[in-house]
Amino acid sequence: METRQMRNIGIMAHIDAGKTTTTERILFYTGKSHKIGEVDDGEAVMDWMEQEQDRGITITSAATTCFWKETQINIIDTPGHVDFTAEVERSLRVLDSAIAIFCAVGGVEPQSETVWHQADHYKIPRIAYINKMDRLGADFFGVIEEIKEKLKANPVPLYLPIGKESDFTGIIDLIEEQEISFEPTNYGSEMHHSPISEEYKELCAQWREHLIDQLSAFSDEITERYLEGEEVPKEMIKAAIRKGTISREIIPIFVGASLKNVGVQPLLDGVVAYLPSPWETPPIEGLHLKQDKMVAVAIDEQQQPLGLVFKIQFDREMGALSFVRMYSGTLKKGQTVYNITKRKRERINRILRMHSNRSEAMDSISAGDIAVIVGFKLAQTGDTIGSEGYQVSLEPMQFPEPVISVAIEPKTASDQEKLHKVLDQLHREDPTFTVRENVDTGQLLISGMGELHLDVLVTRVIKDFNVDARIGNPQVTYRESISKEHTHTEHFHKVVSGKETNAVITLKVEPVKQGAGNVFECLVNEREFPREFRDAVERGVMNAFGGGIMYGYPVFDVKVSLLSVEFDEMTATAAAYEAAGSLGFDAACRDADPILLEPVMKVDVMCPKEFVGEVMSQITSRGGMIESLESKQSIEHIRAEVPMIKMFGYSTNLRSVTQGRGTFAMEFSHFQPKEGGI
Ligand SMILES: Nc1nc2c(ncn2[C@@H]2O[C@H](COP(=O)(O)OP(=O)(O)OP(=O)(O)O)[C@@H](O)[C@H]2O)c(=O)[nH]1
């Protein structure tokens, strides 16, 4: 077991729950941040990019290292907005544990649910922090109930609030049986401990009993003492909380108001006391490329190096910064490593540890740790790096489909060159952002996960990279497919430089299950039809998949079989067969009842009861199907499925019908045939 104390944590929260404010306080108290940057003043040290500050929300995930009580804490910032699910997935992969922040007023909102379920999927141990206890309407016990009901989790409060709203003055430590008050100072706050006052004695006893009762499920020692009515030692309580947290059977609950500097230090103590070090997390799986089998990779410095690039960020001076999580072995500055995904060697020029406001040069990075490597020219988010001698690919990240596009057109020739470079760079940073050229018009289309995602990217292109470009209106990214089988024979004939060339092929096209992808199959014997020409037909078909059938959108879920050929050695050329492949595919698909597929989104709306009628009729008039309606206190939660095309401008619309009190989350659900074309 490694003796070094380390935590790789993420901070997950619904937008506005106070993630940035809490992270700021954490960095401040850990002594690495010299002043508190207020989000409201747009000075957050964690927010790297100018436009994040404009918007006041956190968009990129960057890793920041700080130290608390001899423990190194690497914080991987995790965005809460559903337009950035890929960013969330990517950071969840490299975390060992997380703090989930809930707003004491808003409680468990749809976006917190989405992120919570993603964290369940990656089996991430969590502690929860109920923030904003000072706000009007704060309801600590209400949020606890919601965590139980909506997230099906087992919340166990370790602290209770003293008072609420403007009377929120401090917290009760149930383990130490003390009250803690937070005296404001010019460096944040100072904690003062005092015995529990008469007023809270009963409440404290009741919840301490609840805590010990919950813990007895993990500790026989506690059960024994509990049953015999003996005092349970604090160290035993803490050990059981740690065990239950790591095995994900309980969610320890912390409470505070970060903005008022209340509750943050105990939360940091909780990270150290209850969350696992990398050495306590289960091994991850990787594919051994040479042996073609899955192997377990445990955190071990002595083994061959293996790391995952989980984020690329471009820096004007240093170029690409590759954020790497090491799972095994050690990498050193100046060394050459092997990019297992790209099958190319790359050099490590520098290794940096990022703190909130500075970077620190390091000589090496070892298993368990997170750092930035400078010098990689090819690495992309999701790549595995290691050595040629031990080629294990750490499971590639799964990214959702882009659903919305905009056309982008440079204003001058010099902008054109710059634009291509910038778009390429942005794609390396963010694989959910793709670039496509319309073959007919030559126009560049950029696609992403939602309006906000594209908006952020376009702003970066224009503002950060100074490219002068015209931007079209957002459009949905459609797909094309076919709905029946059809067989077609293509006769291709062309005279090239006085020489006759011919290619005759018979192709069958048929639809396959949605999501199965495209398939090409050759049923002609290689003796009758040489490999070179077969490959040419396949190339032609593959190119045609990208060019669409009726509307020029990419074709998906079609199987193409080459049934027969008329092959004449004298007039056959690869170019003729390639052309026959493309033309034959187009002709066959046109007669196979082509269909246009549109993306449908899962939409979750929360609004006060009085607006529910308006909100539902708004969804129905947008062609949406209401799936469920659920009430909690005075809030209604509506789940629906709505075609993406009908979701443009929805946020403005929702704001206006709910007087700004409705919120929504949206993510891709599936593709469905679109009636009546475009
Ligand atoms: N009253 C009160 N307001 C708070 C508290 N913590 C944060 N806020 C305010 O809530 C707003 C949102 O806080 P942020 O820290 O930006 O929230 P966030 O979760 O990081 O939001 P995104 O970056 O958009 O995901 C800001 O105006 C904060 O000043 C708190 O403890 N009490």
Side-chain angles (χ1 to χ4, degrees):
M1 168 72 75
E2 171 68 35
T3 49
R4 207 157 32 128
Q5 282 287 343
M6 193 190 290
R7 304 285 178 268
N8 290 315
I9 65 163
I11 301 184
M12 321 180 328
H14 177 264
I15 280 189
D16 255 22
K19 189 180 64 208
T20 306
T21 310
T22 308
T23 310
E24 287 290 326
R25 288 337 189 240
I26 289 177
L27 295 176
F28 185 73
Y29 292 126
T30 54
K32 294 290 170 192
S33 170
H34 299 305
K35 65 173 180 153
I36 297 188
E38 298 289 349
V39 181
D40 297 332
D41 303 341
E43 276 191 14
V45 278
M46 196 71 174
D47 285 358
W48 282 27
M49 295 188 297
E50 192 193 318
Q51 60 165 309
E52 283 182 49
Q53 295 180 3
D54 287 353
R55 288 162 200 268
I57 58 165
T58 312
I59 290 160
T60 52
S61 71
T64 310
T65 300
C66 59
F67 289 86
W68 184 252
K69 302 198 169 154
E70 274 87 61
T71 300
Q72 176 188 336
I73 305 175
N74 297 322
I75 304 176
I76 297 115
D77 190 24
T78 313
H81 197 284
V82 179
D83 266 5
F84 306 109
T85 37
E87 294 260 358
V88 181
E89 296 272 344
R90 174 184 316 172
S91 46
L92 288 181
R93 273 193 56 106
V94 297
L95 307 175
D96 296 323
S97 59
I99 302 174
I101 303 184
F102 297 96
C103 167
V105 184
V108 178
E109 302 203 35
Q111 282 170 11
S112 2
E113 277 185 68
T114 311
V115 184
W116 189 270
H117 295 313
Q118 280 169 322
D120 280 342
H121 176 74
Y122 285 100
K123 300 190 167 59
I124 293 166
R126 270 150 280 174
I127 57 180
Y129 173 65
I130 300 178
N131 186 33
K132 300 202 187 180
M133 273 309 297
D134 62 317
R135 270 193 56 196
L136 196 66
D139 179 6
F140 176 77
F141 295 105
V143 180
I144 301 280
E145 276 310 306
E146 282 194 7
I147 295 177
K148 236 188 266 176
E149 278 168 27
K150 299 202 146 177
L151 305 177
K152 307 282 175 261
N154 184 14
V156 178
L158 306 188
Y159 295 88
L160 299 180
I162 300 176
K164 63 175 184 177
E165 302 172 350
S166 56
D167 294 330
F168 178 58
T169 55
I171 60 178
I172 293 170
D173 180 338
L174 293 174
I175 303 172
E176 300 291 341
E177 294 176 277
Q178 280 180 337
E179 287 188 8
I180 309 176
S181 59
F182 295 78
E183 186 194 340
T185 60
N186 53 8
Y187 48 87
S189 67
E190 194 174 299
M191 295 201 286
H192 294 289
H193 301 263
S194 56
I196 306 270
S197 57
E198 271 315 309
E199 192 188 349
Y200 287 104
K201 274 210 167 113
E202 202 184 314
L203 191 71
C204 173
Q206 178 196 338
W207 281 93
R208 195 170 200 274
E209 170 116 2
H210 172 264
L211 167 66
I212 291 174
D213 183 40
Q214 294 286 309
L215 296 178
S216 56
F218 318 102
S219 162
D220 293 342
E221 284 169 305
I222 291 186
T223 315
E224 233 166 75
R225 285 177 190 252
Y226 183 53
L227 291 177
E228 298 191 358
E230 279 177 38
E231 181 70 13
V232 182
K234 287 169 197 161
E235 288 319 309
M236 200 181 275
I237 296 182
K238 289 182 188 166
I241 297 174
R242 180 173 183 79
K243 196 167 155 216
T245 309
I246 295 177
S247 61
R248 295 182 294 116
E249 284 164 283
I250 58 167
I251 306 289
I253 304 288
F254 295 76
V255 60
S258 299
L259 190 66
K260 301 282 157 68
N261 295 302
V262 175
V264 179
Q265 299 95 322
L267 179 64
L268 272 165
D269 288 342
V271 169
V272 172
Y274 307 124
L275 293 179
S277 79
W279 295 270
E280 290 167 289
T281 55
I284 62 158
E285 290 227 303
L287 176 67
H288 195 301
L289 297 181
K290 294 212 164 133
Q291 296 172 0
D292 197 22
K293 65 170 192 196
M294 297 305 282
V295 292
V297 179
I299 306 284
D300 187 346
E301 277 188 35
Q302 307 309 320
Q303 293 301 318
Q304 299 271 7
L306 273 183
L308 185 74
V309 178
F310 66 94
K311 172 94 189 162
I312 302 274
Q313 213 154 22
F314 282 85
D315 180 89
R316 258 173 252 246
E317 278 150 37
M318 290 186 280
L321 305 178
S322 308
F323 284 80
V324 173
R325 157 85 202 240
M326 285 302 284
Y327 288 92
S328 110
T330 299
L331 293 177
K332 293 197 175 68
K333 186 174 84 174
Q335 185 185 346
T336 299
V337 291
Y338 191 63
N339 181 325
I340 295 167
T341 314
K342 300 267 186 302
R343 294 170 197 264
K344 290 268 165 49
R345 284 195 207 111
E346 293 229 66
R347 203 182 126 81
I348 300 178
N349 291 341
R350 296 165 74 188
I351 301 177
L352 301 175
R353 170 157 286 154
M354 307 309 259
H355 297 282
S356 60
N357 50 4
R358 67 194 170 91
S359 58
E360 173 194 0
M362 302 207 299
D363 292 329
S364 64
I365 168 179
S366 297
D369 210 348
I370 283 172
V372 165
I373 292 183
V374 184
F376 287 169
K377 299 222 156 36
L378 297 166
Q380 219 183 347
T381 299
D383 286 359
T384 306
I385 53 167
S387 62
E388 270 168 292
Y390 186 61
Q391 294 188 25
V392 172
S393 163
L394 303 168
E395 192 193 334
M397 301 184 188
Q398 301 285 328
F399 296 120
E401 297 293 334
V403 287
I404 158 169
S405 310
V406 290
I408 182 163
E409 200 181 307
K411 287 195 182 153
T412 66
S414 75
D415 283 318
Q416 168 132 20
E417 209 173 292
K418 211 152 104 190
L419 180 65
H420 277 97
K421 210 171 131 223
V422 167
L423 294 178
D424 186 51
Q425 196 169 313
L426 289 173
H427 174 63
R428 254 182 88 189
E429 284 184 24
D430 178 358
T432 59
F433 158 70
T434 56
V435 186
R436 190 160 66 90
E437 192 167 338
N438 183 319
V439 272
D440 300 326
T441 62
Q443 205 176 34
L444 280 180
L445 277 179
I446 58 175
S447 311
M449 306 308 305
E451 273 178 289
L452 182 57
H453 186 208
L454 278 190
D455 202 19
V456 165
L457 287 161
V458 165
T459 315
R460 286 194 68 192
V461 170
I462 294 171
K463 263 175 90 179
D464 295 3
F465 295 96
N466 292 320
V467 179
D468 210 359
R470 266 186 291 270
I471 310 296
N473 288 326
Q475 336 163 354
V476 163
T477 56
Y478 292 104
R479 286 178 167 189
E480 293 191 60
S481 195
I482 53 174
S483 44
K484 69 168 199 195
E485 182 185 307
H486 186 75
T487 301
H488 166 86
T489 301
E490 181 70 24
H491 294 263
F492 180 84
H493 174 82
K494 192 172 181 186
V495 177
V496 183
S497 324
K499 186 179 176 291
E500 197 171 315
T501 66
N502 280 318
V504 180
I505 58 170
T506 301
L507 291 175
K508 182 173 84 176
V509 294
E510 60 193 304
V512 292
K513 207 173 106 241
Q514 201 183 95
N518 293 328
V519 186
F520 177 81
E521 175 185 61
C522 176
L523 300 174
V524 185
N525 197 306
E526 209 166 310
R527 280 194 307 276
E528 287 167 45
F529 191 48
R531 179 95 206 175
E532 166 196 2
F533 299 106
R534 187 215 101 120
D535 288 349
V537 176
E538 180 170 358
R539 243 186 346 266
V541 170
M542 287 300 166
N543 285 339
F545 275 128
I549 306 168
M550 309 297 287
Y551 301 101
Y553 290 106
V555 179
F556 277 84
D557 305 329
V558 171
K559 180 176 172 186
V560 181
S561 309
L562 177 60
L563 300 182
S564 62
V565 297
E566 283 173 29
F567 179 63
D568 174 1
E569 222 170 293
M570 301 303 292
T571 60
T573 64
Y577 275 101
E578 187 172 331
S582 283
L583 296 169
F585 173 85
D586 285 345
C589 288
R590 274 197 299 273
D591 285 332
D593 290 354
I595 44 170
L596 188 67
L597 298 170
E598 66 172 343
V600 177
M601 309 302 285
K602 257 194 293 202
V603 179
D604 278 1
V605 188
M606 306 265 276
C607 69
K609 266 200 172 55
E610 62 260 41
F611 304 115
V612 70
E614 280 279 357
V615 169
M616 283 180 34
S617 71
Q618 197 184 45
I619 291 175
T620 327
S621 71
R622 284 174 181 262
M625 299 268 292
I626 309 279
E627 306 265 293
S628 70
L629 176 68
E630 195 190 315
S631 331
K632 69 156 196 186
Q633 293 159 11
S634 59
I635 298 285
E636 293 285 335
H637 181 178
I638 304 146
R639 288 178 208 265
E641 288 198 340
V642 189
M644 175 66 216
I645 183 108
K646 298 288 169 77
M647 287 304 291
F648 287 137
Y650 182 64
S651 50
T652 318
N653 206 204
L654 178 69
R655 257 200 311 275
S656 76
V657 298
T658 60
Q659 295 164 13
R661 292 172 62 202
T663 59
F664 80 105
M666 161 171 102
E667 66 179 336
F668 171 74
S669 168
H670 61 277
F671 277 94
Q672 77 178 15
K674 182 168 166 55
E675 307 288 324
I678 300 177

